Amino acid sequence: MTRAVGYAGEREQFGRPIGRFQAIQQQLALAAAEVAAGGAAAESAARVVVRDGITAPTAELAVAAAKVRTGQAATEVARVAHQVHGAIGFTREHDLRLTTTRLWAWRDEDGTDGDWAQRIGDLTLAAGADGLWPLVTA
């Protein structure tokens, strides 16, 4: 994210840095929001694990939700970074492609977003109508 912001300030098009164009600013703001949302989900899951223990259903739900949310954030931030960098981000000479491929590999380690979303659904169904609200708000 920092690299994309820096590049947007350096790369010029039509006589000014591309980071001064509203469309680029909006994309960078979207990426920043994704970073913040992913970080908040991870921090929340860590607090629940510390509070309830790793084997608690509340911890399992929090970790699954954080995994899905950070995976979504990783996808979106990589998309924005590559749009800001343009074709240069895919070349061998630029290390953005290395960062992105590692990010995508990390995102899918220990199960895909779909696998973890399925786990959230399973936990929700197992909690039942009376147990869902306490599970979510605990």
Side-chain angles (χ1 to χ4, degrees):
M1 180 64 204
T2 303
R3 178 164 294 153
V5 171
Y7 184 77
E10 296 169 2
R11 173 76 166 100
E12 288 194 11
Q13 191 68 37
F14 306 112
R16 62 182 178 160
I18 63 171
R20 296 190 58 202
F21 291 100
Q22 185 177 8
I24 300 294
Q25 292 171 352
Q26 288 173 333
Q27 289 298 304
L28 292 172
L30 175 66
E34 290 294 323
V35 169
E43 288 174 17
S44 177
R47 281 193 302 272
V48 172
V49 167
V50 168
R51 183 191 71 208
D52 299 347
I54 191 69
T55 59
T58 52
E60 189 173 0
L61 179 64
V63 168
K67 178 71 166 106
V68 170
R69 190 62 191 96
T70 56
Q72 292 169 339
T75 299
E76 188 63 19
V77 170
R79 182 191 66 77
V80 169
H82 278 281
Q83 284 184 335
V84 169
H85 280 82
I88 195 170
F90 289 101
T91 63
R92 284 191 165 192
E93 293 78 23
H94 204 282
D95 60 353
L96 178 60
R97 76 178 167 78
L98 298 174
T99 303
T100 304
T101 53
R102 182 61 200 130
L103 184 65
W104 289 334
W106 163 80
R107 178 194 60 195
D108 295 336
E109 285 177 8
D110 299 316
T112 65
D113 291 349
D115 296 334
W116 285 92
Q118 179 66 46
R119 187 66 192 135
I120 292 169
D122 293 344
L123 289 166
T124 301
L125 289 173
D130 294 331
L132 179 57
W133 187 249
L135 178 67
V136 173
T137 60

